[in-house]
């Protein structure tokens, strides 16, 4: 059965959700590899693998991990060129002391652009123990729903319930809500999900005589985009300005699918979602036709950067903060919290200035009225998760050891959690007295002075003109806060997180069933093609939806039948 389900996944390219969100996307691979799960294992005859909620190891002799092999995406920002080696070394020292034996951490970091596809190929062509096969890895919520029925993942319900960090959890629902109807838990979320907000260049608003407080409806938003496109807000006199750029008109391969252009999509949701307790195919709804019509009008009016159709998140954001003003954009919707600071820092680093010569700054647009009237606010995505692979040997000893070494320490409240939150000590952060200056010799120079014992973030290892922000866990989003008092109080980070918290609602839950697993990649490709054709005017929005119904209507009906029977 497991082999049949594995084979089905070979044709399915899963979704990576911002795994999101999408911090710095970097392709880097640790060349070290070893046989995962080496050591002494004692089989526990009283436990099984998938479907067995007794997921705690009960063998008399504990399993010892020689190597912990993990696969991560760009949400781990301590990459090979920015302090990953020191992070690994400090993690190994702290975890080995806690476990009572040495553990070698091997990180394989994949590029965000095809993360889900590479994960699919890895899990469906390898076996536990193979070099490069992960003991644990990061998945989006939708990926988790695809894989948790395959037998490839370990049910960690009991391990989670008995974890040492349970006494410190402040947001228990994040993990409990992902359990199956029978109580199984295949993913571990150390944080809640986060989401996107719309950032606007303040200098452009000033140049066209507008205020962020004036933008309350879609008509206001559209008028702002037109002004940005037509009135030369960057002041270079050569045109080439666009109202907005995004990573695609709508990301069919990344839930929540409307979050990069929420003002255009408003109440539409072009995927499977629950509406009044019933699963529907949102791509077939009138709301999607209306959204495509709005996007087409914007395309015709030239207010959307034409690179949007093919842009990934990296390309879109780098255009937004580029100092190449031959083409530039005034609006960019992207992840909340630390990204307010990251985008601002990049504008400063790239010396993007206003017409008056001052450094460009960003303001955040509150949800427009149409978004409030439909969803209620910006969408807070389902949290990305960590999973443990199940070797299928009938014993939970190996998997429990992975949980203890990786997840239980990840939320220890102190040393290891600090590593996952901020990175390596004296590389990414420090408590020792020091002074340094970013952007020295420029108008953007900023001095930092810290006393002995004062927690602070250091200059980024690969860019001394920017301040390090975080490693993997956001200290504001975490379900079990640090207990050592190490908190990043950068005002932009605090402002970004507070803004999103005050203006967000939970996104619809991702759908998962057998037929959707089989046809997910084909559906994503078809919807994306039809959406792009409708936006560029090669077909009408009505034709796009009808073509989808003609080609995938029966499959959609089957998916909805399975979802509504669950």
């Amino acid at each position: 059965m497991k082999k049949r389900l594995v084979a089905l996944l070979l044709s399915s390219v899963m979704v990576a959700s911002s795994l999101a969100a999408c911090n710095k996307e970097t392709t880097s691979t640790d060349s070290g590899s070893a046989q995962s799960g080496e050591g002494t294992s004692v089989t526990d005859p009283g436990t099984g693998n998938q479907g067995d909620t007794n997921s705690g190891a009960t063998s008399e002799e504990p399993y010892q991990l020689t190597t912990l092999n993990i696969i991560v995406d760009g949400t781990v920002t301590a990459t090979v060129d920015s302090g990953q080696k020191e992070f690994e070394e400090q993690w190994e020292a702290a975890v080995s002391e806690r476990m009572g034996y040495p553990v070698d951490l091997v990180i394989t970091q994949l590029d965000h652009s095809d993360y889900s596809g590479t994960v699919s190929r890895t899990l469906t062509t390898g076996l536990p123990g193979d070099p490069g096969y992960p003991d644990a890895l990061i998945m989006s919520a939708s990926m988790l729903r695809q894989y948790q029925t395959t037998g490839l993942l370990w049910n960690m319900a009991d391990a989670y319930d008995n974890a040492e960090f349970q006494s410190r959890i402040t947001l228990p629902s994040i993990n409990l809500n992902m359990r199956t109807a029978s109580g199984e838990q295949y993913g571990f979320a150390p944080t809640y999900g986060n989401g996107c907000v719309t950032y606007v260049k303040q200098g452009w608003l000033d140049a066209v005589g507008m205020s962020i407080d004036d933008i309350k409806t879609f008509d206001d938003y559209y008028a702002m985009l037109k002004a940005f496109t037509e009135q030369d807000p960057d002041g270079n006199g050569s045109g080439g300005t666009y109202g907005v750029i995004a990573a695609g008109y709508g990301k069919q391969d990344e839930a929540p699918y409307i979050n990069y252009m929420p003002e255009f999509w408003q109440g539409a949701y072009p995927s499977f979602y629950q509406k009044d307790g019933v699963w529907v195919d949102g791509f077939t709804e009138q709301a999607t036709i209306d959204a495509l019509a709005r996007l087409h009008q914007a395309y015709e009016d030239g207010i959307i950067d034409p690179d949007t159709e093919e842009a990934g998140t990296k390309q879109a954001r780098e255009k937004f903060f580029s100092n190449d003003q031959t083409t530039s954009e005034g609006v960019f919707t992207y992840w909340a919290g630390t990204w307010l600071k990251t985008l601002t820092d990049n504008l400063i680093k790239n010396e993007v200035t206003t017409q008056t010569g001052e450094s460009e700054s960003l303001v955040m647009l509150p949800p427009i009225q149409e978004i409030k009237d439909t969803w209620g606010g910006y969408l807070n995505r389902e949290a990305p998760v960590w999973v443990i692979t199940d070797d299928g040997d009938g014993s939970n000893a190996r998997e429990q050891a992975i949980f203890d070494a990786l997840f239980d320490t990840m939320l220890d409240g102190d040393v290891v959690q600090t590593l996952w939150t901020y990175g390596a000590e004296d590389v990414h952060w420090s408590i020792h007295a020091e002074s340094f200056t970013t952007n020295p010799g420029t108008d953007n120079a900023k001095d930092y002075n810290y006393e002995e014992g004062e927690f602070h973030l250091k200059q980024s290892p690969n860019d001394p003109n920017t301040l390090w922000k975080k490693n993997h866990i956001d200290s504001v989003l975490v379900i079990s806060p640090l207990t050592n008092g190490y908190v990043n109080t950068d005002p932009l980070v605090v402002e970004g997180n507070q803004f999103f918290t005050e203006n967000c609602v939970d996104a619809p839950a991702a759908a998962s069933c057998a037929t959707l697993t089989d046809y997910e990649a084909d559906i994503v490709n078809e919807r994306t093609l039809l959406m792009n054709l409708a936006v560029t005017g090669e077909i009408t929005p009505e034709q796009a939806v009808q073509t989808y119904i003609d080609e995938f209507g029966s499959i959609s009906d089957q998916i909805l039948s399975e979802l509504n029977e669950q």
Side-chain angles (χ1 to χ4, degrees):
M1 175 63 72
K2 181 181 288 191
K3 288 185 179 295
R4 184 183 72 82
L5 290 169
V6 169
L8 289 175
L9 282 170
L10 281 168
S11 63
S12 178
V13 179
M14 312 311 167
V15 176
S17 101
S18 70
L19 288 166
C22 295
N23 290 290
K24 187 191 305 179
E25 290 130 8
T26 307
T27 304
S28 55
T29 303
D30 188 319
S31 59
S33 63
Q35 295 290 328
S36 299
E38 295 178 17
T40 303
S41 175
V42 178
T43 301
D44 176 9
T47 59
N49 52 9
Q50 186 201 359
D52 184 354
T53 58
N54 180 21
S55 57
T58 59
S59 42
E60 294 180 1
E61 184 177 353
Y63 188 101
Q64 292 193 5
L65 292 169
T66 301
T67 299
L68 179 60
N69 192 0
I70 65 174
I71 290 179
V72 303
D73 63 345
T75 62
V76 175
T77 55
T79 59
V80 167
D81 62 349
S82 60
Q84 190 174 99
K85 179 177 180 291
E86 291 83 355
F87 165 76
E88 285 186 8
E89 291 173 347
Q90 293 184 24
W91 184 96
E92 289 168 352
V95 172
S96 296
E97 179 179 357
R98 174 163 170 169
M99 298 296 288
Y101 57 83
V103 181
D104 178 29
L105 179 65
V106 177
I107 300 175
T108 300
Q109 189 157 30
L110 305 179
D111 183 72
H112 179 68
S113 61
D114 190 33
Y115 182 79
S116 59
T118 305
V119 165
S120 177
R121 291 186 289 273
T122 300
L123 294 181
T124 54
T125 59
L127 293 170
D130 289 348
Y133 194 89
D135 295 308
L137 66 155
I138 297 173
M139 285 187 174
S140 67
S142 54
M143 288 175 69
L144 172 65
R145 286 188 172 87
Q146 297 282 354
Y147 282 104
Q148 68 183 9
T149 60
T150 64
L152 294 172
L153 306 183
W154 182 59
N155 169 28
M156 64 179 74
D158 278 3
Y160 177 83
D161 288 342
N162 293 299
E164 188 274 336
F165 57 66
Q166 279 292 338
S167 62
R168 294 187 300 278
I169 288 182
T170 57
L171 296 170
S173 63
I174 302 300
N175 281 276
L176 295 179
N177 286 347
M178 73 175 68
R179 291 192 172 184
T180 67
S182 54
E184 296 153 353
Q185 180 178 337
Y186 296 96
F188 165 69
T191 68
Y192 70 81
N194 202 13
C196 292
V197 300
T198 296
Y199 298 101
V200 184
K201 290 177 178 174
Q202 180 62 58
W204 286 37
L205 285 168
D206 295 338
V208 301
M210 290 184 173
S211 166
I212 198 69
D213 296 330
D214 299 330
I215 315 304
K216 298 185 181 300
T217 68
F218 180 74
D219 287 343
D220 298 335
Y221 174 78
Y222 202 85
M224 176 183 68
L225 298 186
K226 288 201 72 174
F228 285 174
T229 303
E230 298 169 355
Q231 297 183 28
D232 189 35
D234 62 0
N236 70 355
S238 63
T241 58
Y242 297 98
V244 61
I245 189 169
Y249 301 121
K251 291 288 286 183
Q252 279 296 311
D253 60 346
E254 183 179 316
Y257 311 95
I258 64 173
N259 61 341
Y260 292 140
M261 300 197 84
E263 291 80 12
F264 286 96
W265 288 98
Q266 298 177 14
Y269 201 76
S271 186
F272 298 102
Y273 74 106
Q274 277 188 306
K275 186 177 184 180
D276 299 324
V278 178
W279 286 93
V280 298
D281 186 342
F283 197 86
T284 67
E285 294 186 313
Q286 181 63 41
T288 291
I289 294 175
D290 295 341
L292 293 175
R294 285 187 288 269
L295 286 162
H296 170 63
Q297 186 62 55
Y299 181 88
E300 286 290 297
D301 290 343
I303 65 177
I304 300 178
D305 188 311
D307 284 341
T308 292
E309 181 172 337
E310 300 295 334
T313 52
K314 184 174 186 292
Q315 180 185 5
R317 67 174 184 253
E318 289 184 353
K319 284 204 72 175
F320 181 66
F321 55 62
S322 170
N323 62 3
D324 177 12
Q325 299 299 294
T326 55
T327 60
S328 52
E329 307 78 23
V331 174
F332 180 52
T333 301
Y334 209 55
W335 299 98
T338 56
W339 274 100
L340 173 59
K341 179 171 177 56
T342 301
L343 294 173
T344 301
D345 285 351
N346 276 282
L347 289 170
I348 293 172
K349 183 179 71 171
N350 292 333
E351 299 182 347
V352 179
T353 57
T354 67
Q355 288 191 20
T356 60
E358 299 175 349
S359 294
E360 185 62 85
S361 61
L362 298 176
V363 288
M364 293 173 286
L365 175 67
I368 60 173
Q369 191 61 49
E370 290 83 353
I371 293 177
K372 293 179 181 178
D373 290 343
T374 51
W375 294 113
Y378 290 120
L379 295 183
N380 174 43
R381 66 173 178 173
E382 292 182 284
V385 300
W386 285 84
V387 301
I388 294 173
T389 57
D390 191 330
D391 58 19
D393 66 355
S395 169
N396 292 305
R398 164 189 163 271
E399 292 85 353
Q400 181 69 51
I402 295 168
F403 185 98
D404 293 343
L406 184 60
F407 300 161
D408 216 353
T409 65
M410 190 180 289
L411 295 184
D412 68 353
D414 196 7
V415 176
V416 183
Q417 186 169 339
T418 302
L419 287 168
W420 284 109
T421 303
Y422 298 117
E425 184 175 8
D426 294 327
V427 177
H428 302 108
W429 61 275
S430 181
I431 57 171
H432 299 302
E434 66 175 322
S435 300
F436 56 83
T437 302
T438 56
N439 299 293
T442 72
D443 293 339
N444 296 315
K446 186 173 181 179
D447 296 327
Y448 296 87
N449 299 284
Y450 300 100
E451 298 178 356
E452 185 69 22
E454 183 180 3
F455 171 81
H456 60 275
L457 298 173
K458 295 172 65 68
Q459 295 160 287
S460 297
N462 59 343
D463 186 358
N465 286 321
T466 63
L467 208 62
W468 186 257
K469 298 168 186 67
K470 70 181 182 69
N471 183 15
H472 175 61
I473 295 175
D474 192 314
S475 61
V476 177
L477 307 180
V478 68
I479 65 171
S480 178
L482 284 163
T483 59
N484 57 16
Y486 294 170
V487 178
N488 177 13
T489 57
D490 183 280
L492 286 179
V493 175
V494 173
E495 180 185 357
N497 280 313
Q498 181 177 352
F499 179 88
F500 181 71
T501 301
E502 294 173 350
N503 291 282
C504 75
V505 295
D506 287 341
S512 177
C513 66
T515 301
L516 180 57
T517 297
D518 294 344
Y519 289 96
E520 175 87 5
D522 292 338
I523 289 173
V524 166
N525 290 337
E526 182 70 4
R527 286 175 178 166
T528 301
L529 173 63
L530 293 171
M531 176 181 60
N532 290 343
L533 291 174
V535 172
T536 58
E538 296 178 58
I539 59 177
T540 67
E542 291 82 1
Q543 288 172 331
V545 171
Q546 188 58 54
T547 301
Y548 170 76
I549 293 173
D550 292 343
E551 297 185 8
F552 284 91
S554 61
I555 295 171
S556 174
D557 289 344
Q558 178 61 31
I559 291 169
L560 293 175
S561 176
E562 293 177 18
L563 291 172
N564 284 310
E565 287 175 359
Q566 291 176 356

